[in-house]
Amino acid sequence: MNPAINTALNSNLDSTTAGMAPVGTPYFFYALAALAVVSGFLVITRRNVVHSALALIVTLLSVAGLYLMLYAPFVAGVQIIVYAGGIMVLFLFVIMLVNIERSYKERRFNRIWPVGLGAASALFALFIFAFAKGRPLFPDRMMALPESSNTQQIASMLYGEAGRMGQYTFAFEIASLLLLVAILGAVIMTKKKI
Amino acid sequence: MVPITTTHYLVVAAALFVLGVIGVLTRRNVVVVLMSIELILNAVNLNLVAFSRMWGNLHGQVFSIFVTVDAVAEAAVGLGIVIAFFRNKETVNVDEIDLLKW
């Protein structure tokens, strides 16, 4: 290929990748954020528990989309597989095991719900106040993360590389121990006779 | 149009967190309470990943994986407790679970 064309192509590529953000990204962000918050609201207000679980799945999937926008494809995959695939199936199993017909006729909220609502609203106001006051603490720059080697870098932090232990290898083993204890606890909890 | 900054993600995560807190404080069904805890942990994860992007390193993403492991363990044990309690008491309402209250 003609070297002049080649350099021209390269500079063109550079200007498109480094010069400006992808078109329409804010719209995707606002759509995903609105979907997450609206379905999160449905989770805590539906009378039917199965509807709550389905709304929670929508929330989890839209949060996974937000992870993709943050250049975290591995965390997005874990979110979809572990949360939307594993935990929600567990929830639906338990909802089927306990009877839900009775809850149709009962109150959804407990007696002191105004107190809880007021406290949570105060917490949200505090969050927004802190974010508005602490705006300089959160710089506007977004560092470029290498998306193509994301999984590889997370793996080398978790498992180590070239025979050395990674930074989080010990924490990873502790997490596996936690999972073992949780499995044993769940099995013993649900046994009729120990 | 305003570019999306870290603060945008923090506000979304705060909204999800507060929705989870409202669910924990007001709902009676203990399964919905556990789902609200999942909402809270997801808000924490979103914060961690947004900060990971802000600083340009992957520590936040690794930590969010540990939070996910925690959520799995909590859901497994919590739902086991729900099943064991439902077998004994025939109810899943938190305000009827008051054996330890006097």
Side-chain angles (χ1 to χ4, degrees), chain A residues 40-106:
Chain A
F41 181 74
L42 290 181
V43 170
I44 60 170
T45 48
R46 288 301 93 189
R47 183 178 289 276
N48 191 334
V49 190
V50 179
H51 294 174
S52 292
L54 295 179
L56 184 57
I57 290 176
V58 175
T59 307
L60 297 175
L61 290 181
S62 38
V63 172
L66 289 177
Y67 291 158
L68 282 182
M69 294 189 63
L70 285 165
Y71 293 92
F74 182 71
V75 181
V78 166
Q79 171 93 358
I80 292 175
I81 294 172
V82 175
Y83 265 105
I87 297 184
M88 291 320 296
V89 170
L90 194 63
F91 269 104
L92 286 171
F93 262 122
V94 172
I95 291 168
M96 302 299 168
L97 283 178
V98 304
N99 67 341
I100 53 173
E101 287 82 17
R102 196 187 138 190
S103 64
Y104 293 150
K105 300 183 283 289
E106 289 181 329

Short mmCIF file of all heavy atoms in Angstrom, two decimals, chain A residues 40-106:
data_model
loop_
_atom_site.label_atom_id
_atom_site.label_comp_id
_atom_site.label_asym_id
_atom_site.label_seq_id
_atom_site.Cartn_x
_atom_site.Cartn_y
_atom_site.Cartn_z
N GLY A 40 -36.07 -0.94 39.47
CA GLY A 40 -35.77 -1.05 40.90
C GLY A 40 -36.94 -0.58 41.75
O GLY A 40 -37.24 -1.16 42.80
N PHE A 41 -37.63 0.48 41.28
CA PHE A 41 -38.84 0.92 41.98
C PHE A 41 -39.91 -0.15 41.93
O PHE A 41 -40.63 -0.38 42.92
CB PHE A 41 -39.33 2.23 41.35
CG PHE A 41 -40.55 2.79 42.00
CD1 PHE A 41 -40.47 3.41 43.23
CD2 PHE A 41 -41.78 2.69 41.38
CE1 PHE A 41 -41.59 3.92 43.83
CE2 PHE A 41 -42.91 3.20 41.98
CZ PHE A 41 -42.82 3.82 43.21
N LEU A 42 -40.06 -0.82 40.79
CA LEU A 42 -41.06 -1.89 40.68
C LEU A 42 -40.73 -3.03 41.63
O LEU A 42 -41.64 -3.68 42.16
CB LEU A 42 -41.13 -2.41 39.24
CG LEU A 42 -41.72 -1.46 38.21
CD1 LEU A 42 -41.75 -2.14 36.85
CD2 LEU A 42 -43.12 -1.06 38.61
N VAL A 43 -39.43 -3.30 41.84
CA VAL A 43 -39.04 -4.41 42.72
C VAL A 43 -39.64 -4.22 44.10
O VAL A 43 -40.17 -5.16 44.70
CB VAL A 43 -37.51 -4.51 42.81
CG1 VAL A 43 -37.09 -5.48 43.90
CG2 VAL A 43 -36.93 -4.97 41.51
N ILE A 44 -39.59 -2.99 44.61
CA ILE A 44 -40.01 -2.79 46.00
C ILE A 44 -41.47 -2.43 46.12
O ILE A 44 -41.97 -2.25 47.22
CB ILE A 44 -39.15 -1.72 46.69
CG1 ILE A 44 -39.29 -0.39 45.97
CG2 ILE A 44 -37.72 -2.13 46.75
CD1 ILE A 44 -38.68 0.74 46.73
N THR A 45 -42.21 -2.31 44.99
CA THR A 45 -43.62 -1.93 45.13
C THR A 45 -44.59 -3.00 44.66
O THR A 45 -45.77 -2.92 44.99
CB THR A 45 -43.92 -0.65 44.35
OG1 THR A 45 -43.38 -0.77 43.04
CG2 THR A 45 -43.33 0.55 45.04
N ARG A 46 -44.16 -3.98 43.87
CA ARG A 46 -45.12 -4.96 43.36
C ARG A 46 -45.67 -5.83 44.49
O ARG A 46 -44.97 -6.17 45.44
CB ARG A 46 -44.47 -5.86 42.31
CG ARG A 46 -44.17 -5.23 40.99
CD ARG A 46 -45.38 -4.68 40.31
NE ARG A 46 -45.55 -3.27 40.65
CZ ARG A 46 -46.61 -2.55 40.35
NH1 ARG A 46 -47.61 -3.09 39.69
NH2 ARG A 46 -46.70 -1.30 40.69
N ARG A 47 -46.95 -6.21 44.35
CA ARG A 47 -47.55 -7.09 45.35
C ARG A 47 -47.13 -8.53 45.12
O ARG A 47 -46.85 -9.27 46.07
CB ARG A 47 -49.07 -6.96 45.26
CG ARG A 47 -49.82 -7.75 46.28
CD ARG A 47 -51.30 -7.50 46.14
NE ARG A 47 -51.68 -6.16 46.57
CZ ARG A 47 -51.92 -5.84 47.83
NH1 ARG A 47 -51.81 -6.75 48.76
NH2 ARG A 47 -52.25 -4.62 48.17
N ASN A 48 -47.08 -8.92 43.84
CA ASN A 48 -46.68 -10.29 43.50
C ASN A 48 -45.16 -10.39 43.55
O ASN A 48 -44.44 -9.62 42.90
CB ASN A 48 -47.19 -10.61 42.09
CG ASN A 48 -47.06 -12.07 41.76
OD1 ASN A 48 -46.21 -12.75 42.31
ND2 ASN A 48 -47.90 -12.55 40.88
N VAL A 49 -44.66 -11.37 44.33
CA VAL A 49 -43.21 -11.47 44.52
C VAL A 49 -42.51 -11.90 43.23
O VAL A 49 -41.37 -11.51 42.97
CB VAL A 49 -42.91 -12.46 45.67
CG1 VAL A 49 -41.46 -12.40 46.04
CG2 VAL A 49 -43.75 -12.11 46.86
N VAL A 50 -43.20 -12.68 42.40
CA VAL A 50 -42.60 -13.11 41.14
C VAL A 50 -42.36 -11.90 40.23
O VAL A 50 -41.34 -11.79 39.56
CB VAL A 50 -43.49 -14.15 40.45
CG1 VAL A 50 -42.88 -14.58 39.13
CG2 VAL A 50 -43.65 -15.36 41.34
N HIS A 51 -43.32 -10.94 40.23
CA HIS A 51 -43.12 -9.72 39.45
C HIS A 51 -41.91 -8.95 39.96
O HIS A 51 -41.14 -8.39 39.18
CB HIS A 51 -44.37 -8.86 39.51
CG HIS A 51 -45.55 -9.49 38.84
ND1 HIS A 51 -46.81 -8.94 38.87
CD2 HIS A 51 -45.66 -10.62 38.13
CE1 HIS A 51 -47.64 -9.72 38.21
NE2 HIS A 51 -46.96 -10.75 37.74
N SER A 52 -41.75 -8.91 41.29
CA SER A 52 -40.58 -8.24 41.85
C SER A 52 -39.30 -8.89 41.33
O SER A 52 -38.35 -8.20 40.95
CB SER A 52 -40.60 -8.32 43.38
OG SER A 52 -41.64 -7.56 43.90
N ALA A 53 -39.28 -10.23 41.30
CA ALA A 53 -38.07 -10.92 40.85
C ALA A 53 -37.79 -10.61 39.39
O ALA A 53 -36.64 -10.37 39.01
CB ALA A 53 -38.23 -12.43 41.06
N LEU A 54 -38.85 -10.57 38.55
CA LEU A 54 -38.62 -10.26 37.14
C LEU A 54 -38.12 -8.84 36.96
O LEU A 54 -37.22 -8.56 36.15
CB LEU A 54 -39.92 -10.49 36.35
CG LEU A 54 -40.38 -11.94 36.32
CD1 LEU A 54 -41.69 -12.07 35.55
CD2 LEU A 54 -39.34 -12.83 35.70
N ALA A 55 -38.69 -7.89 37.75
CA ALA A 55 -38.20 -6.51 37.67
C ALA A 55 -36.74 -6.41 38.12
O ALA A 55 -35.96 -5.64 37.56
CB ALA A 55 -39.08 -5.59 38.52
N LEU A 56 -36.38 -7.24 39.11
CA LEU A 56 -34.99 -7.24 39.57
C LEU A 56 -34.06 -7.74 38.48
O LEU A 56 -32.94 -7.23 38.32
CB LEU A 56 -34.85 -8.08 40.84
CG LEU A 56 -33.47 -8.09 41.48
CD1 LEU A 56 -33.03 -6.68 41.80
CD2 LEU A 56 -33.46 -8.91 42.73
N ILE A 57 -34.54 -8.71 37.68
CA ILE A 57 -33.71 -9.18 36.56
C ILE A 57 -33.47 -8.04 35.57
O ILE A 57 -32.35 -7.85 35.07
CB ILE A 57 -34.38 -10.39 35.87
CG1 ILE A 57 -34.33 -11.61 36.79
CG2 ILE A 57 -33.69 -10.72 34.57
CD1 ILE A 57 -35.04 -12.80 36.25
N VAL A 58 -34.53 -7.25 35.29
CA VAL A 58 -34.36 -6.12 34.36
C VAL A 58 -33.34 -5.13 34.93
O VAL A 58 -32.45 -4.62 34.22
CB VAL A 58 -35.71 -5.44 34.11
CG1 VAL A 58 -35.53 -4.20 33.25
CG2 VAL A 58 -36.65 -6.39 33.43
N THR A 59 -33.42 -4.86 36.24
CA THR A 59 -32.45 -3.96 36.86
C THR A 59 -31.03 -4.49 36.70
O THR A 59 -30.12 -3.75 36.32
CB THR A 59 -32.76 -3.82 38.36
OG1 THR A 59 -34.11 -3.43 38.50
CG2 THR A 59 -31.87 -2.78 38.98
N LEU A 60 -30.85 -5.79 36.96
CA LEU A 60 -29.50 -6.36 36.89
C LEU A 60 -28.96 -6.28 35.47
O LEU A 60 -27.79 -5.96 35.25
CB LEU A 60 -29.52 -7.81 37.36
CG LEU A 60 -29.92 -8.04 38.82
CD1 LEU A 60 -30.01 -9.51 39.11
CD2 LEU A 60 -28.93 -7.39 39.73
N LEU A 61 -29.83 -6.54 34.47
CA LEU A 61 -29.35 -6.49 33.09
C LEU A 61 -28.98 -5.06 32.69
O LEU A 61 -27.98 -4.84 32.00
CB LEU A 61 -30.41 -7.06 32.15
CG LEU A 61 -30.62 -8.57 32.26
CD1 LEU A 61 -31.68 -9.03 31.28
CD2 LEU A 61 -29.34 -9.32 32.00
N SER A 62 -29.77 -4.06 33.14
CA SER A 62 -29.41 -2.71 32.74
C SER A 62 -28.16 -2.23 33.47
O SER A 62 -27.37 -1.47 32.91
CB SER A 62 -30.58 -1.74 32.95
OG SER A 62 -31.27 -2.04 34.10
N VAL A 63 -27.93 -2.72 34.70
CA VAL A 63 -26.67 -2.39 35.37
C VAL A 63 -25.50 -3.05 34.64
O VAL A 63 -24.42 -2.46 34.52
CB VAL A 63 -26.73 -2.80 36.85
CG1 VAL A 63 -25.38 -2.66 37.51
CG2 VAL A 63 -27.72 -1.94 37.59
N ALA A 64 -25.74 -4.25 34.09
CA ALA A 64 -24.69 -4.88 33.28
C ALA A 64 -24.38 -4.04 32.05
O ALA A 64 -23.21 -3.90 31.65
CB ALA A 64 -25.12 -6.29 32.87
N GLY A 65 -25.40 -3.42 31.45
CA GLY A 65 -25.16 -2.50 30.34
C GLY A 65 -24.34 -1.30 30.76
O GLY A 65 -23.46 -0.84 30.03
N LEU A 66 -24.61 -0.79 31.98
CA LEU A 66 -23.80 0.33 32.49
C LEU A 66 -22.35 -0.10 32.68
O LEU A 66 -21.43 0.69 32.42
CB LEU A 66 -24.38 0.84 33.80
CG LEU A 66 -25.69 1.60 33.71
CD1 LEU A 66 -26.19 1.99 35.08
CD2 LEU A 66 -25.51 2.84 32.86
N TYR A 67 -22.13 -1.35 33.13
CA TYR A 67 -20.74 -1.84 33.24
C TYR A 67 -20.07 -1.85 31.88
O TYR A 67 -18.89 -1.50 31.77
CB TYR A 67 -20.72 -3.25 33.82
CG TYR A 67 -21.12 -3.37 35.25
CD1 TYR A 67 -21.57 -4.56 35.76
CD2 TYR A 67 -21.03 -2.29 36.10
CE1 TYR A 67 -21.94 -4.68 37.08
CE2 TYR A 67 -21.39 -2.39 37.41
CZ TYR A 67 -21.85 -3.59 37.89
OH TYR A 67 -22.21 -3.71 39.19
N LEU A 68 -20.79 -2.26 30.85
CA LEU A 68 -20.20 -2.25 29.51
C LEU A 68 -19.83 -0.84 29.10
O LEU A 68 -18.79 -0.62 28.47
CB LEU A 68 -21.18 -2.85 28.51
CG LEU A 68 -21.29 -4.36 28.49
CD1 LEU A 68 -22.27 -4.80 27.42
CD2 LEU A 68 -19.95 -4.99 28.23
N MET A 69 -20.67 0.15 29.47
CA MET A 69 -20.33 1.53 29.13
C MET A 69 -19.12 2.01 29.91
O MET A 69 -18.45 2.96 29.50
CB MET A 69 -21.52 2.45 29.41
CG MET A 69 -22.69 2.16 28.52
SD MET A 69 -23.93 3.41 28.71
CE MET A 69 -23.04 4.83 28.13
N LEU A 70 -18.83 1.38 31.04
CA LEU A 70 -17.65 1.75 31.84
C LEU A 70 -16.44 0.91 31.45
O LEU A 70 -15.46 0.87 32.20
CB LEU A 70 -17.95 1.55 33.33
CG LEU A 70 -18.84 2.59 33.96
CD1 LEU A 70 -19.35 2.12 35.30
CD2 LEU A 70 -18.07 3.87 34.14
N TYR A 71 -16.49 0.24 30.33
CA TYR A 71 -15.37 -0.57 29.83
C TYR A 71 -15.00 -1.65 30.83
O TYR A 71 -13.83 -1.84 31.15
CB TYR A 71 -14.15 0.30 29.52
CG TYR A 71 -14.39 1.23 28.36
CD1 TYR A 71 -14.86 2.51 28.57
CD2 TYR A 71 -14.19 0.80 27.06
CE1 TYR A 71 -15.11 3.35 27.51
CE2 TYR A 71 -14.43 1.63 26.00
CZ TYR A 71 -14.89 2.90 26.24
OH TYR A 71 -15.15 3.72 25.18
N ALA A 72 -15.99 -2.35 31.36
CA ALA A 72 -15.74 -3.46 32.27
C ALA A 72 -16.48 -4.70 31.76
O ALA A 72 -17.47 -5.12 32.36
CB ALA A 72 -16.19 -3.12 33.69
N PRO A 73 -16.06 -5.27 30.63
CA PRO A 73 -16.83 -6.38 30.05
C PRO A 73 -16.86 -7.63 30.91
O PRO A 73 -17.86 -8.33 30.94
CB PRO A 73 -16.12 -6.64 28.72
CG PRO A 73 -14.77 -6.09 28.89
CD PRO A 73 -14.90 -4.93 29.80
N PHE A 74 -15.75 -7.87 31.66
CA PHE A 74 -15.75 -9.09 32.48
C PHE A 74 -16.76 -8.98 33.62
O PHE A 74 -17.50 -9.92 33.90
CB PHE A 74 -14.35 -9.33 33.03
CG PHE A 74 -14.25 -10.58 33.84
CD1 PHE A 74 -14.33 -11.82 33.23
CD2 PHE A 74 -14.10 -10.53 35.21
CE1 PHE A 74 -14.25 -12.97 33.97
CE2 PHE A 74 -14.03 -11.69 35.95
CZ PHE A 74 -14.09 -12.91 35.33
N VAL A 75 -16.80 -7.81 34.27
CA VAL A 75 -17.76 -7.63 35.36
C VAL A 75 -19.19 -7.70 34.82
O VAL A 75 -20.08 -8.24 35.48
CB VAL A 75 -17.50 -6.30 36.09
CG1 VAL A 75 -18.45 -6.12 37.23
CG2 VAL A 75 -16.09 -6.26 36.60
N ALA A 76 -19.40 -7.18 33.61
CA ALA A 76 -20.73 -7.27 33.00
C ALA A 76 -21.13 -8.73 32.77
O ALA A 76 -22.27 -9.13 33.04
CB ALA A 76 -20.77 -6.49 31.69
N GLY A 77 -20.17 -9.54 32.29
CA GLY A 77 -20.47 -10.95 32.08
C GLY A 77 -20.76 -11.66 33.37
O GLY A 77 -21.70 -12.47 33.46
N VAL A 78 -19.97 -11.36 34.41
CA VAL A 78 -20.21 -11.97 35.72
C VAL A 78 -21.58 -11.57 36.23
O VAL A 78 -22.32 -12.38 36.79
CB VAL A 78 -19.09 -11.56 36.70
CG1 VAL A 78 -19.48 -11.89 38.12
CG2 VAL A 78 -17.81 -12.28 36.35
N GLN A 79 -21.92 -10.30 36.02
CA GLN A 79 -23.23 -9.81 36.46
C GLN A 79 -24.36 -10.61 35.82
O GLN A 79 -25.29 -11.05 36.49
CB GLN A 79 -23.35 -8.33 36.09
CG GLN A 79 -24.70 -7.74 36.29
CD GLN A 79 -24.83 -7.10 37.64
OE1 GLN A 79 -23.92 -7.15 38.44
NE2 GLN A 79 -25.97 -6.52 37.89
N ILE A 80 -24.27 -10.81 34.51
CA ILE A 80 -25.36 -11.51 33.82
C ILE A 80 -25.39 -12.98 34.22
O ILE A 80 -26.45 -13.54 34.52
CB ILE A 80 -25.19 -11.36 32.29
CG1 ILE A 80 -25.42 -9.91 31.89
CG2 ILE A 80 -26.17 -12.26 31.56
CD1 ILE A 80 -25.18 -9.64 30.45
N ILE A 81 -24.20 -13.63 34.27
CA ILE A 81 -24.20 -15.07 34.51
C ILE A 81 -24.54 -15.38 35.96
O ILE A 81 -25.39 -16.21 36.26
CB ILE A 81 -22.82 -15.67 34.13
CG1 ILE A 81 -22.62 -15.54 32.63
CG2 ILE A 81 -22.75 -17.12 34.52
CD1 ILE A 81 -21.24 -15.91 32.18
N VAL A 82 -23.87 -14.69 36.90
CA VAL A 82 -24.03 -15.04 38.31
C VAL A 82 -25.31 -14.46 38.88
O VAL A 82 -26.08 -15.17 39.54
CB VAL A 82 -22.79 -14.57 39.11
CG1 VAL A 82 -23.00 -14.81 40.58
CG2 VAL A 82 -21.56 -15.30 38.65
N TYR A 83 -25.55 -13.16 38.63
CA TYR A 83 -26.75 -12.56 39.23
C TYR A 83 -28.01 -12.98 38.49
O TYR A 83 -28.86 -13.67 39.02
CB TYR A 83 -26.65 -11.03 39.18
CG TYR A 83 -26.10 -10.40 40.42
CD1 TYR A 83 -24.82 -9.90 40.47
CD2 TYR A 83 -26.88 -10.29 41.56
CE1 TYR A 83 -24.32 -9.32 41.60
CE2 TYR A 83 -26.39 -9.71 42.69
CZ TYR A 83 -25.11 -9.22 42.71
OH TYR A 83 -24.62 -8.64 43.82
N ALA A 84 -28.10 -12.55 37.22
CA ALA A 84 -29.34 -12.78 36.48
C ALA A 84 -29.55 -14.26 36.21
O ALA A 84 -30.68 -14.72 36.06
CB ALA A 84 -29.32 -11.99 35.18
N GLY A 85 -28.44 -15.03 36.12
CA GLY A 85 -28.60 -16.44 35.85
C GLY A 85 -28.72 -17.28 37.10
O GLY A 85 -29.60 -18.13 37.19
N GLY A 86 -27.83 -17.07 38.07
CA GLY A 86 -27.78 -17.95 39.23
C GLY A 86 -28.66 -17.51 40.38
O GLY A 86 -29.54 -18.25 40.82
N ILE A 87 -28.43 -16.29 40.87
CA ILE A 87 -29.11 -15.86 42.09
C ILE A 87 -30.61 -15.73 41.85
O ILE A 87 -31.42 -16.09 42.70
CB ILE A 87 -28.50 -14.54 42.59
CG1 ILE A 87 -27.04 -14.75 42.96
CG2 ILE A 87 -29.26 -14.04 43.79
CD1 ILE A 87 -26.39 -13.53 43.54
N MET A 88 -31.00 -15.24 40.66
CA MET A 88 -32.42 -15.03 40.44
C MET A 88 -33.16 -16.36 40.31
O MET A 88 -34.33 -16.47 40.71
CB MET A 88 -32.64 -14.17 39.19
CG MET A 88 -32.19 -12.75 39.36
SD MET A 88 -32.58 -12.08 40.97
CE MET A 88 -34.34 -12.11 40.90
N VAL A 89 -32.49 -17.39 39.75
CA VAL A 89 -33.12 -18.71 39.71
C VAL A 89 -33.33 -19.22 41.14
O VAL A 89 -34.38 -19.78 41.47
CB VAL A 89 -32.27 -19.68 38.88
CG1 VAL A 89 -32.76 -21.10 39.04
CG2 VAL A 89 -32.31 -19.29 37.43
N LEU A 90 -32.33 -18.98 41.99
CA LEU A 90 -32.46 -19.37 43.40
C LEU A 90 -33.65 -18.66 44.05
O LEU A 90 -34.47 -19.28 44.74
CB LEU A 90 -31.16 -19.00 44.12
CG LEU A 90 -30.90 -19.58 45.49
CD1 LEU A 90 -30.80 -21.08 45.41
CD2 LEU A 90 -29.60 -19.02 46.03
N PHE A 91 -33.77 -17.35 43.78
CA PHE A 91 -34.90 -16.60 44.33
C PHE A 91 -36.23 -17.15 43.84
O PHE A 91 -37.17 -17.33 44.63
CB PHE A 91 -34.78 -15.12 43.93
CG PHE A 91 -34.04 -14.29 44.93
CD1 PHE A 91 -32.76 -13.88 44.69
CD2 PHE A 91 -34.64 -13.92 46.12
CE1 PHE A 91 -32.07 -13.12 45.61
CE2 PHE A 91 -33.96 -13.16 47.04
CZ PHE A 91 -32.67 -12.76 46.78
N LEU A 92 -36.31 -17.44 42.55
CA LEU A 92 -37.58 -17.93 42.01
C LEU A 92 -37.93 -19.29 42.59
O LEU A 92 -39.10 -19.57 42.89
CB LEU A 92 -37.51 -18.00 40.49
CG LEU A 92 -37.58 -16.62 39.83
CD1 LEU A 92 -37.30 -16.71 38.35
CD2 LEU A 92 -38.95 -16.01 40.05
N PHE A 93 -36.91 -20.15 42.80
CA PHE A 93 -37.15 -21.43 43.45
C PHE A 93 -37.78 -21.22 44.82
O PHE A 93 -38.79 -21.87 45.17
CB PHE A 93 -35.84 -22.20 43.62
CG PHE A 93 -35.61 -23.22 42.56
CD1 PHE A 93 -34.48 -23.18 41.77
CD2 PHE A 93 -36.52 -24.24 42.35
CE1 PHE A 93 -34.26 -24.12 40.79
CE2 PHE A 93 -36.30 -25.19 41.38
CZ PHE A 93 -35.17 -25.13 40.60
N VAL A 94 -37.19 -20.33 45.61
CA VAL A 94 -37.69 -20.13 46.98
C VAL A 94 -39.09 -19.53 46.96
O VAL A 94 -39.94 -19.89 47.77
CB VAL A 94 -36.70 -19.26 47.77
CG1 VAL A 94 -37.28 -18.88 49.11
CG2 VAL A 94 -35.41 -20.01 47.95
N ILE A 95 -39.35 -18.62 45.98
CA ILE A 95 -40.69 -18.05 45.88
C ILE A 95 -41.72 -19.14 45.58
O ILE A 95 -42.83 -19.15 46.11
CB ILE A 95 -40.72 -16.95 44.80
CG1 ILE A 95 -39.90 -15.76 45.25
CG2 ILE A 95 -42.13 -16.51 44.53
CD1 ILE A 95 -39.65 -14.78 44.15
N MET A 96 -41.33 -20.11 44.74
CA MET A 96 -42.25 -21.20 44.46
C MET A 96 -42.44 -22.11 45.67
O MET A 96 -43.49 -22.72 45.82
CB MET A 96 -41.73 -22.04 43.29
CG MET A 96 -41.52 -21.28 42.02
SD MET A 96 -43.01 -20.55 41.41
CE MET A 96 -42.37 -19.46 40.16
N LEU A 97 -41.41 -22.23 46.52
CA LEU A 97 -41.52 -23.12 47.67
C LEU A 97 -42.41 -22.53 48.76
O LEU A 97 -43.22 -23.23 49.35
CB LEU A 97 -40.13 -23.43 48.24
CG LEU A 97 -39.32 -24.45 47.44
CD1 LEU A 97 -37.96 -24.63 48.05
CD2 LEU A 97 -40.04 -25.77 47.37
N VAL A 98 -42.24 -21.25 49.06
CA VAL A 98 -43.13 -20.63 50.05
C VAL A 98 -44.39 -20.20 49.32
O VAL A 98 -44.35 -19.88 48.15
CB VAL A 98 -42.45 -19.43 50.74
CG1 VAL A 98 -41.15 -19.86 51.35
CG2 VAL A 98 -42.21 -18.32 49.77
N ASN A 99 -45.51 -20.20 50.02
CA ASN A 99 -46.74 -19.94 49.27
C ASN A 99 -46.94 -18.44 49.10
O ASN A 99 -46.75 -17.66 50.02
CB ASN A 99 -47.95 -20.57 49.97
CG ASN A 99 -48.24 -19.92 51.28
OD1 ASN A 99 -47.38 -19.26 51.85
ND2 ASN A 99 -49.44 -20.11 51.78
N ILE A 100 -47.31 -18.06 47.89
CA ILE A 100 -47.46 -16.64 47.62
C ILE A 100 -48.92 -16.23 47.54
O ILE A 100 -49.23 -15.06 47.47
CB ILE A 100 -46.76 -16.25 46.32
CG1 ILE A 100 -47.21 -17.13 45.17
CG2 ILE A 100 -45.27 -16.34 46.48
CD1 ILE A 100 -46.69 -16.70 43.84
N GLU A 101 -49.84 -17.21 47.57
CA GLU A 101 -51.26 -16.82 47.47
C GLU A 101 -51.68 -15.99 48.67
O GLU A 101 -52.47 -15.07 48.55
CB GLU A 101 -52.15 -18.05 47.36
CG GLU A 101 -52.10 -18.76 46.03
CD GLU A 101 -50.90 -19.69 45.93
OE1 GLU A 101 -50.33 -20.00 47.01
OE2 GLU A 101 -50.54 -20.08 44.82
N ARG A 102 -51.12 -16.34 49.82
CA ARG A 102 -51.51 -15.64 51.03
C ARG A 102 -51.11 -14.16 50.98
O ARG A 102 -51.83 -13.30 51.48
CB ARG A 102 -50.81 -16.31 52.22
CG ARG A 102 -51.41 -15.93 53.55
CD ARG A 102 -50.58 -16.47 54.69
NE ARG A 102 -50.46 -15.46 55.73
CZ ARG A 102 -49.63 -15.57 56.74
NH1 ARG A 102 -48.83 -16.60 56.84
NH2 ARG A 102 -49.58 -14.64 57.65
N SER A 103 -49.98 -13.87 50.33
CA SER A 103 -49.50 -12.49 50.36
C SER A 103 -50.33 -11.56 49.49
O SER A 103 -50.20 -10.35 49.59
CB SER A 103 -48.04 -12.45 49.92
OG SER A 103 -47.95 -12.87 48.57
N TYR A 104 -51.20 -12.11 48.61
CA TYR A 104 -52.04 -11.22 47.81
C TYR A 104 -53.02 -10.45 48.69
O TYR A 104 -53.38 -9.32 48.39
CB TYR A 104 -52.84 -12.02 46.78
CG TYR A 104 -51.99 -12.65 45.71
CD1 TYR A 104 -52.37 -13.82 45.11
CD2 TYR A 104 -50.79 -12.06 45.32
CE1 TYR A 104 -51.60 -14.39 44.12
CE2 TYR A 104 -50.01 -12.63 44.34
CZ TYR A 104 -50.43 -13.79 43.75
OH TYR A 104 -49.65 -14.35 42.79
N LYS A 105 -53.46 -11.10 49.78
CA LYS A 105 -54.51 -10.49 50.58
C LYS A 105 -53.95 -9.65 51.72
O LYS A 105 -54.70 -9.02 52.45
CB LYS A 105 -55.41 -11.59 51.16
CG LYS A 105 -56.08 -12.42 50.08
CD LYS A 105 -57.02 -13.45 50.64
CE LYS A 105 -56.30 -14.65 51.21
NZ LYS A 105 -55.70 -15.50 50.15
N GLU A 106 -52.63 -9.65 51.87
CA GLU A 106 -52.05 -8.98 53.03
C GLU A 106 -51.50 -7.62 52.66
O GLU A 106 -51.35 -7.27 51.50
CB GLU A 106 -50.92 -9.84 53.60
CG GLU A 106 -51.41 -11.08 54.27
CD GLU A 106 -50.25 -11.87 54.83
OE1 GLU A 106 -49.18 -11.81 54.23
OE2 GLU A 106 -50.44 -12.52 55.86
#
